[in-house]
Amino acid sequence: AMTLAFLQTVSFWPAGGISKPHQTHYYTKVVVPRRSSTVRRFHQTLTSSELEAPPAKSDNEVFDRLCFLLDTEPEKTLRLDSTGDGVRGVYLNRAVPKGKEILMVPLEACLRDDVVPSWMDDSLNDDASYNQSEWSTRLAASLIDLQLASDPDLPAQYKAKSKAIDEGKALWLACLPEPESLRASLPVHWKEETLQSAGCAALELAVDSAFFARGEAVFALMAGLRRLPLAADIPSDTLERLCSNALDVVQTRSCRLEAAGASDEGSVDPDDYPLRGLAPVFDFINHGYSSLVGTGGANSDFGVEEISVGSGGKKWCLVVRASRDLNEGEEALIDYGGSTVPAWKCLSSYGFIPEYRPSSSTSEYSADSEQSQFFSPHTAEVYMNGGRHTVYPTSIPRALVTSTATAMLTESDKKVVTEDATLKVDIAARVSEQLQAAAVDLGFDGEQSDGRFNESDDGEIALADPLDAVASRLSASLRGSQIRVLLACAAGLIEGRVGIRY
């Protein structure tokens, strides 16, 4: 009875007082509902007498406690704070010069994908058979193992097979977001109609691919857990949800553990492969694009470094450094990487949509960013001239120019237009007209409700499930982003502000 109750508990992660910024991100206008503003203990995980005291009064007190327990440095440099709309982020308590440390998290405080529990497949413990493509499964197994080790009622013989838990990791577990809220923000879990209402075929294809990969990972984790006697009588759906929840956390909170300044082929000494990990405290830092200049752009870099401690001692840490001079009160932002571009991929990966900047001016982006002339995290899909094309606010693909030029030729002069077709005024006008029509169609195709209400077949209106409403609003937000891109590009074509992208 104890085992069933425990695993049913851990299959639904606690409502944390500190929401993951990937959920309630400063870019995202959707605030995921939470049951409590205080951190709840995870099935009596916090066993220390010092942690048996009443919950902290504020998220920032919990954040300070977490930093202390995990031995992060520098002390008291960061705080957890919120914007006016309640979106949380990590802010600086003091000014930090360019190149100086903002945060250092010891690697021993992190979960790493090169260490897996004994109950997982033996091949995952063999360095010779280390498969980088399975990193999310390994991290999810370590996360589940941490949960198992945190149960005070678990028999000692089972605890011996799990990693020992310390107070800091226990508190971090309690700070993880409520699983159902996180689940609602990830398209891989959305209803088909919600996914289709986003009007993005690329997102649908990505979700289809992720769905089958998820299935394989869940199957592997469940097979491993079934090796534990304590899981023998647990219903499959309970174990499946436990594993799926762990994979959600890994998907939205993991990072690449790589030597600072290393190339894609670099690695953390002494390993010969890049690692992935879950880094407590670090995982509360929000995203900003490194190519974005000014407010909302990344202002910090991170990597693994060997830090000197004590008298001649050293330890490996995940270090966050300021990439420019930072002021007191400024939010620390890091670039989450290629999984945030374009916007639909950011939603698919992390459960939030980047803020759409109406100007989309190229001056907002750094000159050294890849194709900075046309960079924007926001895109739109358009079906024209028999093909699917991706357009940006300030650029269109050359294939669209070529196919439009060909379509405009009269039947008597029909011929294949060469790839060096230019964006002439008449071609720009035709493309602009079609983009405007596509924007109108996308607006009518998607349901314009904010997701708070559902209409039944007989016309009755009722309040929607709060979690369904989260998914619906995110879907509508992505659809709205595409409409803005289409209209911005259409206007830019008429005004001569749109370029051709190869």
Side-chain angles (χ1 to χ4, degrees):
M2 175 283 296
T3 301
L4 177 60
F6 171 65
L7 284 188
Q8 286 177 333
T9 300
V10 300
S11 68
F12 292 90
W13 297 52
I18 303 177
S19 290
K20 177 67 186 88
H22 295 154
Q23 273 186 266
T24 52
H25 193 270
Y26 78 103
Y27 278 161
T28 309
K29 299 306 180 185
V30 177
V31 178
V32 177
R34 300 183 302 144
R35 290 196 298 264
S36 174
S37 60
T38 59
V39 172
R40 300 180 180 181
R41 292 186 304 161
F42 173 69
H43 199 71
Q44 299 183 348
T45 292
L46 311 183
T47 55
S48 164
S49 59
E50 189 171 5
L51 288 177
E52 288 292 340
K57 295 181 180 180
S58 71
D59 287 348
N60 201 46
E61 291 178 7
V62 176
F63 184 78
D64 287 343
R65 180 63 178 163
L66 184 61
C67 291
F68 172 78
L69 290 172
L70 296 178
D71 194 27
T72 66
E73 298 181 43
E75 294 182 11
K76 299 294 184 180
T77 298
L78 302 174
R79 71 176 186 275
L80 199 68
D81 210 337
S82 302
T83 59
D85 56 2
V87 179
R88 289 178 173 84
V90 176
Y91 292 79
L92 295 167
N93 288 325
R94 62 175 70 94
V96 177
K98 179 180 180 180
K100 290 297 184 180
E101 302 90 349
I102 294 176
L103 174 67
M104 294 188 291
V105 182
L107 282 193
E108 63 185 19
C110 304
L111 299 184
R112 293 170 41 161
D113 76 320
D114 61 336
V115 180
V116 295
S118 58
W119 47 264
M120 279 300 289
D121 190 335
D122 292 338
S123 64
L124 295 182
N125 291 300
D126 184 1
D127 288 341
S129 62
Y130 182 90
N131 185 345
Q132 293 186 24
S133 65
E134 297 174 349
W135 66 267
S136 60
T137 306
R138 291 192 297 270
L139 266 183
S142 295
L143 189 59
I144 295 171
D145 199 54
L146 191 62
Q147 290 181 294
L148 294 177
S150 72
D151 182 27
D153 298 322
L154 196 65
Q157 63 266 32
Y158 299 138
K159 277 183 173 293
K161 296 180 180 180
S162 300
K163 186 189 306 181
I165 186 171
D166 58 31
E167 296 176 4
K169 290 178 180 177
L171 183 56
W172 175 69
L173 277 179
C175 293
L176 291 175
E178 184 179 359
E180 293 303 291
S181 297
L182 179 57
R183 188 179 183 87
S185 71
L186 296 176
V188 72
H189 300 303
W190 288 359
K191 297 176 180 177
E192 185 175 358
E193 57 268 25
T194 304
L195 184 61
Q196 291 178 343
S197 71
C200 182
L203 176 62
E204 293 183 44
L205 291 173
V207 167
D208 286 344
S209 177
F211 181 82
F212 291 106
R214 271 297 190 98
E216 294 179 358
V218 169
F219 178 82
L221 290 168
M222 290 179 64
L225 284 169
R226 287 296 188 192
R227 298 180 179 185
L228 294 176
L230 64 88
D233 300 323
I234 304 303
S236 294
D237 57 347
T238 301
L239 285 182
E240 182 177 357
R241 182 54 66 91
L242 167 67
C243 297
S244 182
N245 290 343
L247 288 166
D248 287 344
V249 173
V250 169
Q251 176 179 328
T252 56
R253 305 181 79 90
S254 61
C255 66
R256 188 181 179 100
L257 299 176
E258 189 171 66
S263 65
D264 289 342
E265 291 75 26
S267 63
V268 178
D269 185 85
D271 300 312
D272 295 326
Y273 43 81
L275 302 176
R276 269 77 170 186
L278 289 167
V281 181
F282 170 83
D283 63 344
F284 293 118
I285 301 178
N286 278 334
H287 165 71
Y289 289 105
S290 57
S291 53
L292 182 62
V293 177
T295 304
N299 52 32
S300 306
D301 299 317
F302 66 95
V304 175
E305 302 178 24
E306 194 173 24
I307 304 299
S308 299
V309 293
S311 55
K314 292 184 177 181
K315 67 177 179 180
W316 289 97
C317 293
L318 178 60
V319 181
V320 182
R321 295 183 180 274
S323 57
R324 60 172 173 80
D325 292 339
L326 301 180
N327 300 318
E328 179 182 349
E330 192 168 355
E331 183 180 9
L333 299 171
I334 59 174
D335 195 322
Y336 289 177
S339 295
T340 61
V341 180
W344 65 261
K345 186 179 291 186
C346 186
L347 173 60
S348 177
S349 302
Y350 297 108
F352 71 88
I353 299 173
E355 177 187 19
Y356 184 85
R357 293 172 177 262
S359 65
S360 295
S361 63
T362 56
S363 61
E364 292 181 330
Y365 303 99
S366 62
D368 58 351
S369 63
E370 184 178 358
Q371 290 193 320
S372 59
Q373 180 182 0
F374 305 127
F375 176 83
S376 171
H378 292 274
T379 63
E381 295 176 345
V382 60
Y383 294 86
M384 292 173 56
N385 310 318
R388 181 166 67 95
H389 304 278
T390 299
V391 301
Y392 290 75
T394 57
S395 70
I396 59 176
R398 179 167 292 280
L400 178 55
V401 178
T402 302
S403 62
T404 301
T406 302
M408 291 175 64
L409 294 174
T410 61
E411 289 299 327
S412 60
D413 192 31
K414 183 67 70 176
K415 62 181 179 180
V416 176
V417 178
T418 60
E419 287 298 321
D420 60 353
T422 58
L423 189 57
K424 298 179 181 179
V425 174
D426 57 341
I427 297 176
R430 174 66 68 87
V431 175
S432 175
E433 179 182 335
Q434 291 179 310
L435 293 183
Q436 293 178 63
V440 172
D441 290 342
L442 189 59
F444 280 116
D445 287 343
E447 190 172 323
Q448 299 303 309
S449 170
D450 62 4
R452 291 179 298 174
F453 302 96
N454 284 335
E455 183 176 358
S456 63
D457 294 336
D458 57 7
E460 293 186 1
I461 303 297
L463 283 173
D465 179 272
L467 299 178
D468 286 342
V470 169
S472 295
R473 289 198 296 269
L474 283 170
S475 177
S477 180
L478 181 61
R479 188 175 63 252
S481 168
Q482 293 189 91
I483 292 174
R484 293 185 182 94
V485 170
L486 291 170
L487 294 178
C489 189
L493 282 164
I494 299 301
E495 298 170 3
R497 295 184 288 102
V498 170
I500 299 177
R501 188 182 69 258
Y502 288 91

